[in-house]
Amino acid sequence: MAFLPRRGVIAISGPDRVGFLQGLVSNDVESVTPERAVWSALLTPQGRYVAEFFILTEGERLLLDAPRDSIAETIKRLSRFRLRSKVTLEDVSESFAVHAAWGGRPKVDDDAVVAADPRLDDAGYRVLAPARLPDAAEEKAYVAHRIALGLPDHDDLEPEKTLLMEAGFGELDGISWTKGCYMGQELTARTRYRGLVKRRLVPVRGDGDLPAAETDITRDGKSVGTLRAVLGRDGLAMLRVEALEGDLQAGAVTLRAAPPAWLRLSWKDDRLAEAAAATEGTGS
């Protein structure tokens, strides 16, 4: 288990909380249970990333485990769509200490909110406790865990640029394909149906310690991607699909991509692509 001091919590309360959030985020809010979180994202109307978060439920509230530095902007954007919905949005980060646990369900007191991380079985659990738990490791332990599994985090994604399908949301249960409309859905669906995923976020390993995050990655002097998370020789990088094999350079370090087993390089469905093109052609 690790304490994640750079994560905070947004509380959404009120009788319309589920329906309100359902029409705005990428995943199915109705599938949240006390035992299992939902991982989701808020997008721009153009389908670009704004923020990711885990949605947990506690009594009459939804709790969004979110990056602290995105909370103010997330509340601001969500509030624009509140209209007549009976909901209240509040930053309650000072009331919770966010943790990630793996290697089995953590044993914590009843005042902690615990839910399975839905992305992978090995991902573990999200834990919202009143204070930092005494046996929690530093955040670096979780960074190593998620890099090994290829799990994205807010640090790896570029606001108003990254597409969800580039960052594994399609494979890691971060998108509902059946729930209906949400903000940014059109581009997300088109990316899937047409197979237009040109970049992917993947683990990488260097022949020495990797340089800092945001270092350019090249092949034969041509830019093919960017380092995101870095921990010693291991990291995550956003790479062009054609750069997922063979040696690459980041500064003086040679590195190679190590795509995880869950990663799917092709999403294209010819039948769905034809149907989408036909629909666009009618102007509907």
Side-chain angles (χ1 to χ4, degrees), residues 39-61:
W39 186 51
S40 191
L42 179 66
L43 306 176
T44 67
Q46 295 75 33
R48 305 288 175 169
Y49 171 80
V50 173
E52 55 82 24
F53 36 75
F54 295 88
I55 307 171
L56 297 83
T57 183
E58 179 205 44
E60 299 301 311
R61 300 193 296 180

Side-chain angles (χ1 to χ4, degrees), residues 39 49 119 150-153 156-158 162-172 175 197 199-202 238 262-263:
W39 186 51
Y49 171 80
R119 296 176 292 180
L151 299 176
D153 189 87
D156 308 317
L157 313 177
E158 297 173 270
T162 300
L163 303 178
L164 294 191
M165 297 294 285
E166 295 174 337
F169 278 73
E171 299 98 327
L172 295 172
I175 302 170
V197 187
R199 307 187 306 163
R200 294 307 307 262
L201 183 72
V202 296
M238 187 67 79
W262 55 258
L263 187 138

Side-chain angles (χ1 to χ4, degrees), residues 83-111:
L83 302 176
R84 296 182 180 179
S85 298
K86 296 179 180 178
V87 294
T88 300
L89 295 91
E90 183 181 5
D91 182 354
V92 294
S93 301
E94 298 310 311
S95 299
F96 291 98
V98 181
H99 302 73
W102 56 97
R105 183 181 176 87
K107 296 180 180 179
V108 295
D109 294 338
D110 292 341
D111 55 1

Side-chain angles (χ1 to χ4, degrees), residues 256-271:
R256 293 180 69 96
W262 55 258
L263 187 138
R264 179 178 175 180
L265 287 180
S266 176
W267 282 89
K268 186 172 182 179
D269 183 318
D270 291 333
R271 178 181 57 83

Side-chain angles (χ1 to χ4, degrees), residues 65-80:
D65 161 359
R68 278 184 182 260
D69 63 5
S70 75
I71 283 179
E73 181 65 18
T74 299
I75 291 176
K76 178 181 177 181
R77 290 187 183 235
L78 291 175
S79 295
R80 293 174 186 168

Side-chain angles (χ1 to χ4, degrees), residues 82-202:
R82 185 165 49 187
L83 302 176
R84 296 182 180 179
S85 298
K86 296 179 180 178
V87 294
T88 300
L89 295 91
E90 183 181 5
D91 182 354
V92 294
S93 301
E94 298 310 311
S95 299
F96 291 98
V98 181
H99 302 73
W102 56 97
R105 183 181 176 87
K107 296 180 180 179
V108 295
D109 294 338
D110 292 341
D111 55 1
V113 181
V114 181
D117 182 330
R119 296 176 292 180
L120 295 171
D121 288 343
D122 290 339
Y125 295 83
R126 308 300 291 192
V127 182
L128 309 181
R132 177 174 177 168
L133 298 171
D135 57 345
E138 298 299 324
E139 185 178 23
K140 183 183 294 187
Y142 175 66
V143 174
H145 174 66
R146 72 176 188 83
I147 287 177
L149 294 177
L151 299 176
D153 189 87
H154 181 67
D155 292 342
D156 308 317
L157 313 177
E158 297 173 270
E160 304 201 19
K161 180 177 180 181
T162 300
L163 303 178
L164 294 191
M165 297 294 285
E166 295 174 337
F169 278 73
E171 299 98 327
L172 295 172
D173 197 18
I175 302 170
S176 170
W177 303 110
T178 60
K179 74 164 187 170
C181 295
Y182 58 88
M183 189 161 60
Q185 178 200 24
E186 183 178 356
L187 179 61
T188 304
R190 187 185 306 136
T191 303
R192 177 197 184 194
Y193 298 156
R194 292 185 171 179
L196 298 176
V197 187
K198 298 180 180 180
R199 307 187 306 163
R200 294 307 307 262
L201 183 72
V202 296

